[in-house]
Amino acid sequence: MVENRNSEPSDPERVPSGVPWKNFFDADGNLIVKNLDTGEKTSVKDLERPIDPVFLRFATQEEQLSAAMTVSTTNSQGKPRTSFFERVHPSFVKRAPFRDKKNVAKGAGHVKINTKKAEAAFENLFIVQALSAHEGPIWALKLNEKGNLLATGGQDGVLRVWLLCGQGSPEPQWNEDYSQVFADGKKTTDIQKKSIGAEPSFSSSGTFSSSKDTNGKDIENSITNREIRIQTKHPRQVLKPQPFREFVGHKLDILDIAWSKNDFLLSASMDKTVRLWHPSVNEALRKFQHSDFITTVHFHPMEEGIFISGALDEKLRVWDIAEKKVVTFKDRLGLITASNVSRDGKHLLVGTYKGICKSFHLNQDQGTWTLQQVNEVEVCSRRGKNSKGSKISGICFKPNSEEFLVSSNDSRLRCYRLETLSRTCKYLGHRNFCSQIHPCYSEDGEYVLSGSEDRQVYIWNTEPHKVAENNGKTDQNEYCEHFIAQNCIVSCAIFVPRVGWKKTKAANDRALNNRVIITAGYSGEIRIYENVVQL
C-alpha cells in the first residue's frame, strides 16, 4: 500500500495538524510518497527513473515504487537501502571493479569472483575495456552470426553497430546494393554473391556515416572516441572505440534486435514499428507497423526473407519482408514478452507476461506458412511464493541440445526439454524482479550467463546439473560464480564466441581459450571482461 499526500500548500484543511510542509516535499519540491508496509519514503520523481518499460506498462503504483527503489539503490555509491530486498548480499555494497585495492596481488583491473565452489573457473577475470555507448539504459545487445559485429539499442532509440577486433576475420565489406535487396519482391536468395572487390560500398575503417531522422534531416554523428579510461593489467580493444554504424529513426526505446546470416538487422521498438537495416545502407530498408510495443523479434534462421515479431497486443506475427505483409499469425496469446526460434526454424517458443511459455511448430508448405501450437507450460515453482507465474523476460535455446532456458521475474532460470516441456534444471542466485533481462549460453553450451538487478553478472556451469541431497526435487544449481560488472542494473550480458581469440596451453597441454564477456546496463555503458588463462 502506498500513501500519496497529494495536497497543495494553499489548502491548509488537507494538511495534518502539526506536520510541517517539508515532510511532504523534498528539497527540489517533488512530492514524497511513503510505503506503509516498510516505512520507506521516496520522491515521486524516483518513479520516473529508467525502469524496464514493459514492466512499467502494467505494474501497479506500489510495484513501480518498489522497482524505483531498486534502481535508486543500485545506482547509489553509499550503503544501499534494504527495504526492498529485506536482506542484502555482502557483495551488493561493493563498488565496480575499476580499481580494487584488495586485488592488487593479481594486478590492476582484476575482478573478484564470488562463489560457493572450492575453485572458480573465472578467477582470473579482468576488465579489459569500457565504452560510453548510449544515453540511458541499454535494453538489447546482440552479436551477428559471424561474431564480428555487435548491435546495441536502448532508451535513446538509436541503433549502433560496433566492430569487434581480433576475431580472425577481415573487416566486413559489402559490394552489393543492399538498399534494393527486398525491393519489388526481390529476396536475398536471388542475389548472386560476388567476391570482395577493391572498393567497398562504404568506409569500413571503423568510422560511420550520418543517418537521417524522421524529418529527413541529416544527423551529424560524432566520431569522438567513446572509450572510458580504465586501469587494468590486461587492456584489450575488443570493440573499436567508435560505432561502426549508427542508425537513427525510432522515436522511442529499442527493445530487441535480431541479426540475419547476411548481416541484415531488425530493431523492435516501443514506437510500434520494426525496422530493417543493413550496415552498408544509411537508412532503414523497411518499416513494419504494429498496434502496440514490439517486445521481441527474430529472423527465420533458414529463410532470411521471413521474420517473427511478438507484441503487447497479444499477437504473434510471421512477416514476409519482400511483400511487406503478415503471412500468418496467432492472436489472444497473452501479452508477449519474449520469444525465440530453434536453429532449424521449425520450433517457435513464446513467453507471456503471466508466465506462460507456449510451443509452436512453424511450417512452410508450397509457400504457405502455418503456426500450430503444440504445448504450453506455466513457468513457476511447485509451491511457495513463486507458485504463480511471473513475466517471462527471455528465452534461449541450448546449443546442440533439445533443451531451452527461460528467465522470469521471480529471479529464476529454468531449463526445459523442447518436446515434452518437462523441467530439467533450475538456476538460482541472480535477481530479476522487474527487468527484461535475457539469459544466454556460451557457444559450446558449457555455461549459462545472466545479468542481474544487483549490478552483478552470474555464471553457472551447465554440466554437473545434479546437486547432492536435493530430496528428489528437480535439479537445482545454486553453485554460480558472480561478480560486480556495472554501477547499475546489468540488463544485458553475453559471451563472445572464442573463434580467433588468443589461445594458450595449460600444463596438461589441453588447449584453452580465454572467455570474453560483454555487459551493458542502465547507465548506457558497455564493459568488457576477459578470463585471462594463466600458464
Side-chain angles (χ1 to χ4, degrees), residues 98-169:
F98 273 5
R99 184 184 296 175
D100 193 342
K101 295 180 180 179
K102 296 181 180 180
N103 295 325
V104 292
K106 291 193 174 183
H110 180 260
V111 180
K112 183 179 179 181
I113 290 290
N114 300 289
T115 180
K116 294 180 180 180
K117 297 186 293 185
E119 295 183 2
F122 291 81
E123 62 181 2
N124 292 314
L125 197 68
F126 286 81
I127 183 168
V128 297
Q129 191 179 15
L131 298 171
S132 178
H134 286 265
E135 296 294 329
I138 297 173
W139 304 128
L141 189 76
K142 295 289 178 68
L143 277 169
N144 68 341
E145 194 168 305
K146 300 180 184 71
N148 60 354
L149 291 173
L150 175 74
T152 59
Q155 191 181 62
D156 59 7
V158 180
L159 178 65
R160 291 186 172 93
V161 179
W162 308 80
L163 178 65
L164 274 76
C165 311
Q167 284 297 96
S169 59

Side-chain angles (χ1 to χ4, degrees), residues 472-485:
K473 297 179 181 178
T474 303
D475 294 344
Q476 291 189 167
N477 191 337
E478 301 181 53
Y479 294 94
C480 57
E481 302 176 38
H482 51 100
F483 63 95
I484 301 285

Side-chain angles (χ1 to χ4, degrees), residues 5-74:
R5 298 167 174 164
N6 55 355
S7 56
E8 297 291 336
S10 60
D11 191 352
E13 294 182 358
R14 296 185 182 180
V15 183
S17 59
V19 178
W21 275 107
K22 64 181 181 180
N23 292 345
F24 289 84
F25 296 88
D26 62 15
D28 298 326
N30 299 304
L31 185 67
I32 294 175
V33 294
K34 177 181 178 182
N35 189 319
L36 297 183
D37 294 329
T38 64
E40 190 75 37
K41 294 182 180 180
T42 189
S43 167
V44 168
K45 190 175 181 180
D46 286 342
L47 298 180
E48 301 173 358
R49 291 179 181 271
I51 305 171
D52 181 82
V54 179
F55 174 83
L56 282 179
R57 177 72 180 270
F58 301 101
T60 65
Q61 185 182 19
E62 183 176 2
E63 290 172 335
Q64 292 183 34
L65 174 61
S66 297
M69 290 164 57
T70 306
V71 176
S72 178
T73 300
T74 54

